Amino acid sequence: ARALQPAARGARRPRTRLHATKVEGPSMDQVVQLCRQRGFVFGSSEIYNGFNGFYDYGPLGCELKKNIKDLWWRDFVHGREDVHGLDSSIIASPAVWRASGHVDGFSDPMCDDKETKKRYRADQLFVGDVVDDATGDVVGAVTVLESEDIERDLAKAAKKLCKAARRPVSYRSVAECSEAEMARVPPPGAPDRPGGLTPPRAFNLMFETRVGAAADAAAAAYLRPETAQGIFVNFKNVAATARGFGVPGGVAQIGKAFRNEITPRNFVFRSREFEQMEIEYFCSDEGDAWRACHAEWVAACRAWLVDRAGLRPELLGEDVHEDLAHYARACTDITFRFPFGEQELQGIAARGCYDLTQHQEASGKSLEYVDQASGRKYVPQVVEPSIGVDRLFLAAICSAYAVDEVGGAERTLLKFSPLLAPVKAAVLPLSKKDPALLAIARRVHDDLKRRYNVQWDAAGNIGRRYRRQDEIGTPLCITVDFDSIEDGCVTVRDRDSTDQVRVKVEDVAAHVVHVIEGL
């Protein structure tokens, strides 16, 4: 059989293989199970057997998401004098998406299984030749889905096709195969059906909708596939109205975006409805002015993920792109080692003047910035730090997930940064019947409730209540016991160390603020 051609230089490889280092952590099944059982995430429309690619965030999940967004906004908008906020509409004029290139070019390569009609992203399928180790002949090809170890999966598939198969030494993305080569490419799991996939074709990822009463082509519009374009088309508005705005300076936005993914997978990592946190940071158009700006944002974003979001630094990596779009100056991804492999968590892209220039030319409206000192007019370059709320949500849970032993018994806990923890403290009265004890517990609970999301937990023995709170990542448990009636103190237990201290009732709020905020 004729062998497939080797991959072209610079061909894309899955980012799951950026680093071979293994880090101990939970399986994806454990993460999904915990999220479902404890009310972090539910599948959308579960009573109707679900709706692929969409998720609902439960009581704890929406708290964690809110904390992520609030912390990001506090640090990158309120914490800086050079970044201002914006909330643009989800549906914009279709002209915006034509100018940005999304209408014509925002697509993924797609192919279908001719027999089962199952649909795949061609750049997430990998095909390799199967060589008979005894004769050296190519006896066929096998195809596997992108995974943490593609070579291992190809070797297993090859053995099923030919017991004397040699481990495939080369493979390539199906998206790189020519139409002639597709005649030899089988669907995943079906090596006996070479040519069973349709040739890759472009599939536009934007969700189309209709605006107004008419249903003709003139009423067509799109749900935004990203939040960035809303910032670009409002650049002049923000520059003219935001007190203190200047270049260098940025505009930040948090909002929903929608992409009609061919194969949504890996839980909330790749879904069809998601939230983004983006900054478009504008800098001088002169020469390499973007370089220092880009480097500063890469360092600032990585530091924030560790120091503020509380991600374990050993789980983070970095991928500097070599193959760039024609307008791009640079792009660096901060990666995270998820249970399904290493993938992009945050991208920091230097996009040049491309976006503002495109909208300026398409709209006929000037998007130039006027330097107040020199009077010079120019279209600024932009550096774009962008991170998905849902991806950071998943990374925070994976990073925080831990199993240890307390008192000879195994416990599962989430070691969230206190700033992200969905519940900051739990108040545990030792008795549900003693009026004096309950009065103290209610006083503590109501005082803390004015500042944080706090739980009242009076059911079950104290050890079981501790475990419940550990499993949802509550940093502090406050136990009100019978001694509290006599000495006016409560027991405050730390989640990670399980250490306990006695604190006066009037000092509890200050103690909790110190642990959560570091103040």
Side-chain angles (χ1 to χ4, degrees), residues 290-310:
W290 61 268
R291 289 189 184 277
C293 181
H294 182 260
E296 288 170 7
W297 275 108
V298 172
C301 291
R302 189 183 183 102
W304 185 84
L305 289 170
V306 174
D307 299 337
R308 301 290 282 169

Side-chain angles (χ1 to χ4, degrees), residues 15-16 148 336-343:
R15 290 178 188 158
T16 50
E148 185 176 354
F336 183 85
R337 292 172 192 167
F338 293 97
F340 47 83
E342 185 165 359
Q343 294 278 3

Side-chain angles (χ1 to χ4, degrees), residues 89-100 103 211 220-222 229 233 359:
S89 62
I90 287 174
I91 298 176
S93 167
V96 170
W97 307 111
R98 286 194 290 270
S100 67
V103 171
V211 175
Y222 305 94
Q229 299 306 318
V233 299
H359 289 299

